[in-house]
C-alpha cells in the first residue's frame, strides 16, 4: 500500500478486457492518480478527478496520459473512490433493482 500511495502515477495497462480493475481502484483509494489504457472497465472506473485514460493502446498515448495524470489533485483522486464505497454500491444496486422490479421500499431493508 505504501508504495502505491507514494507513487506519482499508477499505470494500469491491461492488454485484455479487464472486467473491473481492482488494483486501479486501490490506487485511486490511496490518492494516487491513474494513467490507463482504454481497455475493459477502465473507462467506467477512471474519472476526470481520478486519472487519465489514454487515447489509444500504444506507448505514446499511455505516456501522454501519465504526464497529464501526475498533476491531478490527490485529495480529489482519493475522494473519487467513494463512488465504489459499500453504501454507494448498495444504493446503486437497490436503485437498479427498483427500476426493473418496483417493490415497496420497506421490502429492501438493509442488513446490519
Amino acid at each position: 500500500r505504501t508504495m502505491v500511495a507514494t507513487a506519482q502515477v499508477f499505470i494500469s495497462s491491461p492488454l485484455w478486457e479487464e472486467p473491473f480493475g481492482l488494483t486501479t481502484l486501490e490506487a485511486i483509494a490511496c490518492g494516487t492518480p491513474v494513467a490507463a489504457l482504454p481497455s475493459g472497465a477502465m473507462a467506467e472506473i477512471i474519472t476526470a478527478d481520478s486519472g487519465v485514460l489514454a487515447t489509444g493502446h500504444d506507448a505514446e498515448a499511455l505516456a501522454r496520459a501519465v504526464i497529464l495524470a501526475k498533476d491531478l489533485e490527490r485529495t480529489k483522486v482519493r475522494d473519487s473512490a467513494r463512488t465504489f464505497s459499500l453504501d454507494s454500491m448498495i444504493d446503486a444496486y437497490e436503485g437498479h433493482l427498483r427500476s426493473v422490479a418496483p417493490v415497496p421500499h420497506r421490502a429492501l431493508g438493509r442488513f446490519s
Side-chain angles (χ1 to χ4, degrees):
R1 177 176 173 239
T2 303
M3 186 180 289
V4 172
T6 59
Q8 278 191 305
V9 175
F10 179 83
I11 298 174
S12 182
S13 55
L15 299 176
W16 59 90
E17 292 302 309
E18 176 69 57
F20 182 69
L22 184 58
T23 56
T24 301
L25 186 56
E26 288 170 342
I28 292 169
C30 288
T32 303
V34 173
L37 292 177
S39 298
M42 294 301 110
E44 296 176 46
I45 296 171
I46 297 171
T47 66
D49 286 335
S50 65
V52 178
L53 203 58
T55 57
H57 286 87
D58 56 279
E60 292 81 15
L62 185 56
R64 285 190 297 275
V66 169
I67 290 166
L68 294 171
K70 73 177 181 60
D71 293 328
L72 292 175
E73 188 179 324
R74 294 177 82 89
T75 303
K76 286 184 179 180
V77 173
R78 186 174 25 261
D79 289 348
S80 71
R82 290 190 178 131
T83 302
F84 297 95
S85 72
L86 179 60
D87 287 337
S88 293
M89 297 298 284
I90 289 172
D91 289 346
Y93 288 137
E94 286 180 350
H96 179 68
L97 289 172
R98 282 191 193 95
S99 74
V100 296
V103 295
H105 182 60
R106 66 183 178 278
L108 288 175
R110 292 235 174 121
F111 295 99
S112 300

